[in-house]
Amino acid sequence: MDQSTPHRTDASPSEPTPTGAHATRGTGWAMPVITLLGVAASIVAAFVGSGALGGTPVAEAAGGALSADATPVAPAGSAFGIWSVIYLGLVAYALWQLTATARRSARQRALRPWALASVLLNAAWIWTVQLDQIAASVLVIAVLLGVLVRIMHLLGAPRTGGVVELVVTDGTFGLYLGWVSVATLANTFAWLAAEGVDPMTGVPLGLVGIVAAAGIGVATAVLSRGRVAPALATAWGLAWVAVGRTEGRFESGALVWTAAVASAVVLVVAVVNWLRVRRATPPRQDANLPGRS
């Protein structure tokens, strides 16, 4: 994730507070505590549902519909290690949002219900797969993607928590969005393939899917004005799609190279946009601009 353009995190007493930078009153304890408990419960539910404590791993549930060799756009198994980083970030966020700084922040007050919804939806997605409801899992992950897009919009408000907020909020939810973008596409392919739609298991449509995932990553980088965290997760997913196509049922040089190039393009576009926005931003006006991660 990037370090966004340095900016002032607290308004001077002699200057007007930027709209949305500080709440005029602090948030009470109820919603922060509910958010903490909800994040904790959702992560535990997701951890149990993933098969980490025994039972059926997600990749083997639903007849293996989401296995690393199920479709041409399925990432290799190691790609899912990114969840460890995302869950760690969510735990850090859930704790940080209890602080006085976060409880005074209008940005965080707007974010909490959506952050809570995102973790509940993630746990629901895992359990729909465990219950062999692949079609339902596509619906759930699509809603989750929409929630994360909304979160990125809310994070356009000025930060007041400095680097800590940049990392635990912008960084965490940026990675979350980037990964779920790739996962939504892979989940859709898996559902259609399980329903017997033969083109979904062919190399040509696999190439289209990879290009589509890259297009979403590029669009996110451009529209978010230089956020690098979503691009990192999208590029990570595409890179592991490339690795997955070096062997197994869908081994294909065309898929490997397309996914590898797509991964690089997403990262390059994000970095170029970050540099462009950084150069165009007057340092003393950063407090009025969206934080970027």
Side-chain angles (χ1 to χ4, degrees):
M1 77 193 65
D2 68 297
Q3 298 296 320
S4 66
T5 309
H7 66 278
R8 295 162 58 199
T9 58
D10 294 291
S12 168
S14 62
E15 298 176 354
T17 301
T19 302
H22 282 285
T24 56
R25 56 182 175 79
T27 297
W29 283 100
M31 192 59 196
V33 170
I34 290 171
T35 300
L36 173 66
L37 295 177
V39 169
S42 298
I43 290 177
V44 170
F47 189 67
V48 173
S50 70
L53 298 179
T56 306
V58 170
E60 298 174 13
L66 297 174
S67 69
D69 209 27
T71 69
V73 298
S78 297
F80 296 92
I82 194 173
W83 276 115
S84 298
V85 180
I86 294 172
Y87 285 147
L88 181 62
L90 288 171
V91 170
Y93 157 75
L95 294 172
W96 180 80
Q97 58 90 35
L98 293 172
T99 65
T101 297
R103 286 187 290 108
R104 287 194 300 265
S105 169
R107 186 184 198 237
Q108 292 299 321
R109 186 166 62 248
L111 172 63
R112 285 186 185 93
W114 295 94
L116 182 57
S118 77
V119 294
L120 292 172
L121 284 165
N122 178 60
W125 177 83
I126 289 176
W127 283 100
T128 57
V129 174
Q130 288 288 4
L131 295 172
D132 296 342
Q133 300 299 313
I134 300 300
S137 75
V138 173
L139 176 61
V140 172
I141 201 169
V143 175
L144 171 57
L145 180 61
V147 168
L148 291 171
V149 169
R150 174 60 178 165
I151 286 173
M152 284 297 105
H153 175 73
L154 292 174
L155 293 182
R159 291 191 309 274
T160 59
V163 174
V164 175
E165 185 175 6
L166 172 67
V167 173
V168 302
T169 301
D170 299 67
T172 296
F173 288 102
L175 290 175
Y176 201 176
L177 170 63
W179 174 254
V180 169
S181 297
V182 175
T184 301
L185 183 70
N187 201 165
T188 303
F189 265 70
W191 166 53
L192 293 174
E195 291 296 319
V197 182
D198 291 338
M200 308 309 292
T201 57
V203 170
L205 205 54
L207 293 171
V208 172
I210 289 170
V211 172
I216 293 171
V218 167
T220 300
V222 173
L223 294 175
S224 67
R225 302 184 70 238
R227 289 186 183 273
V228 175
L232 285 173
T234 298
W236 169 269
L238 288 169
W240 281 104
V241 170
V243 172
R245 302 294 76 80
T246 59
E247 60 182 6
R249 179 184 175 193
F250 297 107
E251 181 178 350
S252 165
L255 290 170
V256 169
W257 282 105
T258 301
V261 171
S263 175
V265 167
V266 170
L267 272 182
V268 169
V269 170
V271 171
V272 167
N273 273 274
W274 176 75
L275 291 172
R276 177 180 59 79
V277 172
R278 183 183 177 90
R279 285 195 298 267
T281 301
R284 294 189 60 82
Q285 296 179 10
D286 285 351
N288 296 313
L289 294 175
R292 283 170 285 279
S293 174

